[in-house]
Tab-separated table of all heavy atoms in Angstrom:
chain	number	residue	atom	x	y	z
X	7	ALA	N	41.746	67.053	-26.995
X	7	ALA	CA	43.200	67.152	-26.868
X	7	ALA	C	43.831	65.761	-26.942
X	7	ALA	O	43.326	64.811	-26.355
X	7	ALA	CB	43.567	67.832	-25.556
X	8	LYS	N	44.944	65.670	-27.672
X	8	LYS	CA	45.646	64.393	-27.808
X	8	LYS	C	46.074	63.839	-26.455
X	8	LYS	O	46.028	62.648	-26.213
X	8	LYS	CB	46.896	64.572	-28.678
X	8	LYS	CG	46.632	64.791	-30.122
X	8	LYS	CD	47.974	64.920	-30.851
X	8	LYS	CE	47.776	65.317	-32.280
X	8	LYS	NZ	49.057	65.517	-32.964
X	9	ASP	N	46.508	64.723	-25.604
X	9	ASP	CA	47.069	64.269	-24.338
X	9	ASP	C	46.060	64.344	-23.198
X	9	ASP	O	46.425	64.582	-22.056
X	9	ASP	CB	48.309	65.084	-23.989
X	9	ASP	CG	48.008	66.562	-23.824
X	9	ASP	OD1	46.941	67.016	-24.263
X	9	ASP	OD2	48.869	67.250	-23.248
X	10	LYS	N	44.767	64.120	-23.497
X	10	LYS	CA	43.774	64.262	-22.431
X	10	LYS	C	44.003	63.265	-21.304
X	10	LYS	O	43.711	63.556	-20.160
X	10	LYS	CB	42.351	64.188	-22.979
X	10	LYS	CG	41.902	62.863	-23.505
X	10	LYS	CD	40.479	62.976	-24.023
X	10	LYS	CE	40.029	61.663	-24.608
X	10	LYS	NZ	38.690	61.749	-25.151
X	11	GLU	N	44.569	62.128	-21.607
X	11	GLU	CA	44.880	61.159	-20.548
X	11	GLU	C	45.955	61.705	-19.612
X	11	GLU	O	45.855	61.583	-18.410
X	11	GLU	CB	45.358	59.832	-21.155
X	11	GLU	CG	44.268	59.044	-21.836
X	11	GLU	CD	43.235	58.527	-20.845
X	11	GLU	OE1	43.620	58.094	-19.730
X	11	GLU	OE2	42.043	58.570	-21.190
X	12	ASN	N	46.987	62.336	-20.174
X	12	ASN	CA	48.089	62.856	-19.373
X	12	ASN	C	47.769	64.180	-18.692
X	12	ASN	O	48.387	64.532	-17.703
X	12	ASN	CB	49.339	63.019	-20.240
X	12	ASN	CG	49.864	61.687	-20.727
X	12	ASN	OD1	49.727	60.679	-20.051
X	12	ASN	ND2	50.433	61.684	-21.908
X	13	SER	N	46.804	64.905	-19.226
X	13	SER	CA	46.503	66.225	-18.671
X	13	SER	C	45.820	66.133	-17.315
X	13	SER	O	45.919	67.042	-16.512
X	13	SER	CB	45.622	67.022	-19.635
X	13	SER	OG	44.299	66.506	-19.641
X	14	GLY	N	45.110	65.047	-17.088
X	14	GLY	CA	44.390	64.912	-15.834
X	14	GLY	C	43.090	65.689	-15.809
X	14	GLY	O	42.463	65.830	-14.769
X	15	ILE	N	42.681	66.205	-16.945
X	15	ILE	CA	41.438	66.955	-17.040
X	15	ILE	C	40.477	66.184	-17.933
X	15	ILE	O	40.835	65.795	-19.040
X	15	ILE	CB	41.678	68.360	-17.636
X	15	ILE	CG1	42.621	69.163	-16.746
X	15	ILE	CG2	40.359	69.099	-17.830
X	15	ILE	CD1	43.072	70.471	-17.359
X	16	THR	N	39.281	65.967	-17.412
X	16	THR	CA	38.263	65.336	-18.235
X	16	THR	C	37.002	66.190	-18.205
X	16	THR	O	36.660	66.776	-17.184
X	16	THR	CB	37.906	63.917	-17.740
X	16	THR	OG1	37.386	64.011	-16.413
X	16	THR	CG2	39.103	63.000	-17.756
X	17	VAL	N	36.352	66.278	-19.339
X	17	VAL	CA	35.082	66.965	-19.449
X	17	VAL	C	34.164	66.055	-20.242
X	17	VAL	O	34.534	65.577	-21.311
X	17	VAL	CB	35.224	68.332	-20.164
X	17	VAL	CG1	33.866	68.986	-20.343
X	17	VAL	CG2	36.162	69.242	-19.396
X	18	GLU	N	32.993	65.833	-19.700
X	18	GLU	CA	32.034	64.939	-20.336
X	18	GLU	C	30.731	65.704	-20.551
X	18	GLU	O	30.236	66.372	-19.638
X	18	GLU	CB	31.795	63.743	-19.406
X	18	GLU	CG	30.752	62.787	-19.861
X	18	GLU	CD	30.496	61.702	-18.814
X	18	GLU	OE1	31.168	61.683	-17.770
X	18	GLU	OE2	29.604	60.897	-19.058
X	19	LEU	N	30.212	65.646	-21.764
X	19	LEU	CA	28.924	66.266	-22.054
X	19	LEU	C	27.819	65.362	-21.510
X	19	LEU	O	27.795	64.170	-21.789
X	19	LEU	CB	28.734	66.449	-23.553
X	19	LEU	CG	29.681	67.410	-24.248
X	19	LEU	CD1	29.486	67.346	-25.754
X	19	LEU	CD2	29.464	68.806	-23.747
X	20	ILE	N	26.913	65.946	-20.756
X	20	ILE	CA	25.803	65.188	-20.207
X	20	ILE	C	24.616	65.231	-21.163
X	20	ILE	O	23.831	64.299	-21.235
X	20	ILE	CB	25.390	65.727	-18.814
X	20	ILE	CG1	26.583	65.716	-17.867
X	20	ILE	CG2	24.223	64.971	-18.225
X	20	ILE	CD1	27.198	64.349	-17.643
X	21	ASP	N	24.453	66.318	-21.893
X	21	ASP	CA	23.408	66.397	-22.911
X	21	ASP	C	23.970	67.051	-24.164
X	21	ASP	O	25.026	67.656	-24.144
X	21	ASP	CB	22.170	67.139	-22.394
X	21	ASP	CG	22.431	68.606	-22.107
X	21	ASP	OD1	23.466	69.154	-22.542
X	21	ASP	OD2	21.596	69.221	-21.429
X	22	GLU	N	23.273	66.903	-25.251
X	22	GLU	CA	23.756	67.416	-26.533
X	22	GLU	C	23.607	68.933	-26.666
X	22	GLU	O	24.145	69.531	-27.577
X	22	GLU	CB	23.014	66.723	-27.691
X	22	GLU	CG	23.321	65.248	-27.790
X	22	GLU	CD	24.803	64.981	-28.014
X	22	GLU	OE1	25.438	65.676	-28.827
X	22	GLU	OE2	25.339	64.070	-27.350
X	23	LYS	N	22.888	69.569	-25.764
X	23	LYS	CA	22.673	71.016	-25.827
X	23	LYS	C	23.829	71.801	-25.212
X	23	LYS	O	23.820	73.017	-25.221
X	23	LYS	CB	21.387	71.390	-25.097
X	23	LYS	CG	20.153	70.780	-25.693
X	23	LYS	CD	18.956	71.168	-24.848
X	23	LYS	CE	17.768	70.313	-25.200
X	23	LYS	NZ	16.657	70.536	-24.288
X	24	LEU	N	24.799	71.111	-24.650
X	24	LEU	CA	25.941	71.730	-23.973
X	24	LEU	C	25.517	72.524	-22.735
X	24	LEU	O	26.197	73.442	-22.316
X	24	LEU	CB	26.732	72.640	-24.909
X	24	LEU	CG	27.347	71.995	-26.145
X	24	LEU	CD1	28.002	73.059	-27.017
X	24	LEU	CD2	28.342	70.930	-25.774
X	25	THR	N	24.383	72.159	-22.154
X	25	THR	CA	23.938	72.873	-20.961
X	25	THR	C	24.356	72.163	-19.677
X	25	THR	O	24.307	72.758	-18.612
X	25	THR	CB	22.402	73.042	-20.947
X	25	THR	OG1	21.797	71.749	-21.021
X	25	THR	CG2	21.943	73.910	-22.107
X	26	LYS	N	24.795	70.918	-19.795
X	26	LYS	CA	25.249	70.182	-18.613
X	26	LYS	C	26.561	69.481	-18.930
X	26	LYS	O	26.697	68.817	-19.947
X	26	LYS	CB	24.212	69.150	-18.181
X	26	LYS	CG	22.928	69.766	-17.683
X	26	LYS	CD	21.972	68.710	-17.188
X	26	LYS	CE	20.685	69.388	-16.733
X	26	LYS	NZ	19.715	68.415	-16.265
X	27	LEU	N	27.508	69.676	-18.047
X	27	LEU	CA	28.822	69.068	-18.176
X	27	LEU	C	29.180	68.369	-16.879
X	27	LEU	O	28.724	68.746	-15.813
X	27	LEU	CB	29.902	70.123	-18.431
X	27	LEU	CG	29.776	71.014	-19.639
X	27	LEU	CD1	30.833	72.112	-19.566
X	27	LEU	CD2	29.961	70.221	-20.901
X	28	ARG	N	30.049	67.410	-16.971
X	28	ARG	CA	30.665	66.808	-15.795
X	28	ARG	C	32.157	66.808	-16.069
X	28	ARG	O	32.607	66.427	-17.142
X	28	ARG	CB	30.170	65.378	-15.597
X	28	ARG	CG	30.764	64.715	-14.364
X	28	ARG	CD	30.221	63.306	-14.153
X	28	ARG	NE	28.798	63.320	-14.428
X	28	ARG	CZ	28.109	62.266	-14.871
X	28	ARG	NH1	28.696	61.121	-15.052
X	28	ARG	NH2	26.834	62.346	-15.132
X	29	GLY	N	32.918	67.257	-15.107
X	29	GLY	CA	34.351	67.307	-15.320
X	29	GLY	C	35.119	67.006	-14.053
X	29	GLY	O	34.602	67.146	-12.950
X	30	THR	N	36.344	66.562	-14.244
X	30	THR	CA	37.244	66.332	-13.114
X	30	THR	C	38.619	66.882	-13.469
X	30	THR	O	38.993	66.970	-14.637
X	30	THR	CB	37.384	64.834	-12.760
X	30	THR	OG1	37.898	64.140	-13.897
X	30	THR	CG2	36.066	64.223	-12.336
X	31	ILE	N	39.332	67.254	-12.429
X	31	ILE	CA	40.708	67.706	-12.581
X	31	ILE	C	41.530	66.921	-11.567
X	31	ILE	O	41.272	66.993	-10.368
X	31	ILE	CB	40.830	69.219	-12.311
X	31	ILE	CG1	39.972	69.984	-13.314
X	31	ILE	CG2	42.287	69.657	-12.371
X	31	ILE	CD1	39.891	71.464	-13.050
X	32	ARG	N	42.501	66.166	-12.060
X	32	ARG	CA	43.346	65.365	-11.179
X	32	ARG	C	44.316	66.297	-10.466
X	32	ARG	O	44.998	67.113	-11.084
X	32	ARG	CB	44.099	64.314	-11.990
X	32	ARG	CG	44.897	63.348	-11.125
X	32	ARG	CD	45.561	62.226	-11.931
X	32	ARG	NE	46.395	62.774	-12.983
X	32	ARG	CZ	46.273	62.450	-14.273
X	32	ARG	NH1	45.365	61.617	-14.672
X	32	ARG	NH2	47.085	62.980	-15.171
X	33	GLY	N	44.358	66.209	-9.152
X	33	GLY	CA	45.266	67.026	-8.362
X	33	GLY	C	46.699	66.528	-8.476
X	33	GLY	O	46.956	65.416	-8.954
X	34	PRO	N	47.663	67.340	-8.031
X	34	PRO	CA	49.070	66.936	-8.092
X	34	PRO	C	49.334	65.716	-7.211
X	34	PRO	O	48.725	65.582	-6.147
X	34	PRO	CB	49.827	68.145	-7.553
X	34	PRO	CG	48.849	69.254	-7.460
X	34	PRO	CD	47.486	68.672	-7.480
X	35	PRO	N	50.238	64.829	-7.632
X	35	PRO	CA	50.570	63.667	-6.815
X	35	PRO	C	51.140	64.092	-5.455
X	35	PRO	O	51.746	65.161	-5.334
X	35	PRO	CB	51.645	62.930	-7.623
X	35	PRO	CG	51.658	63.561	-8.967
X	35	PRO	CD	50.995	64.888	-8.863
X	36	ASP	N	50.933	63.282	-4.463
X	36	ASP	CA	51.453	63.528	-3.111
X	36	ASP	C	51.003	64.877	-2.543
X	36	ASP	O	51.769	65.567	-1.882
X	36	ASP	CB	52.996	63.455	-3.091
X	36	ASP	CG	53.497	62.099	-3.561
X	36	ASP	OD1	52.859	61.076	-3.218
X	36	ASP	OD2	54.510	62.068	-4.275
X	37	SER	N	49.787	65.247	-2.833
X	37	SER	CA	49.223	66.473	-2.273
X	37	SER	C	47.840	66.154	-1.725
X	37	SER	O	47.276	65.106	-2.031
X	37	SER	CB	49.125	67.556	-3.346
X	37	SER	OG	48.006	67.322	-4.187
X	38	PRO	N	47.282	67.057	-0.931
X	38	PRO	CA	45.923	66.819	-0.441
X	38	PRO	C	44.906	66.753	-1.578
X	38	PRO	O	43.794	66.306	-1.393
X	38	PRO	CB	45.635	68.023	0.456
X	38	PRO	CG	46.911	68.696	0.689
X	38	PRO	CD	47.857	68.269	-0.381
X	39	TYR	N	45.308	67.235	-2.757
X	39	TYR	CA	44.401	67.263	-3.898
X	39	TYR	C	44.671	66.135	-4.878
X	39	TYR	O	44.258	66.212	-6.029
X	39	TYR	CB	44.526	68.611	-4.622
X	39	TYR	CG	44.364	69.779	-3.702
X	39	TYR	CD1	45.468	70.533	-3.314
X	39	TYR	CD2	43.124	70.112	-3.184
X	39	TYR	CE1	45.330	71.594	-2.456
X	39	TYR	CE2	42.979	71.168	-2.316
X	39	TYR	CZ	44.077	71.900	-1.962
X	39	TYR	OH	43.935	72.948	-1.107
X	40	GLU	N	45.391	65.111	-4.440
X	40	GLU	CA	45.777	64.029	-5.340
X	40	GLU	C	44.561	63.371	-5.979
X	40	GLU	O	44.572	63.033	-7.146
X	40	GLU	CB	46.605	62.986	-4.585
X	40	GLU	CG	47.144	61.899	-5.477
X	40	GLU	CD	48.132	61.012	-4.739
X	40	GLU	OE1	48.227	61.084	-3.510
X	40	GLU	OE2	48.811	60.239	-5.426
X	41	ALA	N	43.510	63.199	-5.204
X	41	ALA	CA	42.281	62.654	-5.776
X	41	ALA	C	41.703	63.691	-6.736
X	41	ALA	O	41.983	64.874	-6.636
X	41	ALA	CB	41.284	62.345	-4.669
X	42	SER	N	40.886	63.231	-7.636
X	42	SER	CA	40.311	64.149	-8.616
X	42	SER	C	39.376	65.154	-7.957
X	42	SER	O	38.607	64.823	-7.058
X	42	SER	CB	39.539	63.358	-9.673
X	42	SER	OG	40.427	62.589	-10.437
X	43	LEU	N	39.477	66.378	-8.427
X	43	LEU	CA	38.550	67.421	-8.019
X	43	LEU	C	37.454	67.493	-9.067
X	43	LEU	O	37.721	67.337	-10.253
X	43	LEU	CB	39.259	68.777	-7.966
X	43	LEU	CG	40.458	68.897	-7.041
X	43	LEU	CD1	41.156	70.225	-7.277
X	43	LEU	CD2	40.017	68.787	-5.602
X	44	THR	N	36.237	67.751	-8.659
X	44	THR	CA	35.183	67.895	-9.644
X	44	THR	C	35.220	69.296	-10.228
X	44	THR	O	35.731	70.224	-9.611
X	44	THR	CB	33.790	67.656	-9.031
X	44	THR	OG1	33.524	68.693	-8.092
X	44	THR	CG2	33.709	66.288	-8.369
X	45	LEU	N	34.675	69.417	-11.396
X	45	LEU	CA	34.593	70.725	-12.039
X	45	LEU	C	33.808	71.676	-11.146
X	45	LEU	O	34.175	72.845	-10.996
X	45	LEU	CB	33.919	70.580	-13.401
X	45	LEU	CG	33.903	71.776	-14.329
X	45	LEU	CD1	35.298	72.305	-14.568
X	45	LEU	CD2	33.235	71.421	-15.636
Side-chain angles (χ1 to χ4, degrees):
K8 288 181 187 177
D9 61 344
K10 69 181 178 182
E11 289 293 320
N12 294 329
S13 73
I15 299 171
T16 61
V17 176
E18 175 185 357
L19 295 173
I20 304 301
D21 66 15
E22 294 300 317
K23 298 177 194 172
L24 300 176
T25 58
K26 294 184 181 179
L27 302 171
R28 181 178 319 152
T30 60
I31 299 173
R32 186 175 55 235
D36 301 322
S37 78
Y39 308 105
E40 185 171 12
S42 293
L43 301 171
T44 66
L45 189 55

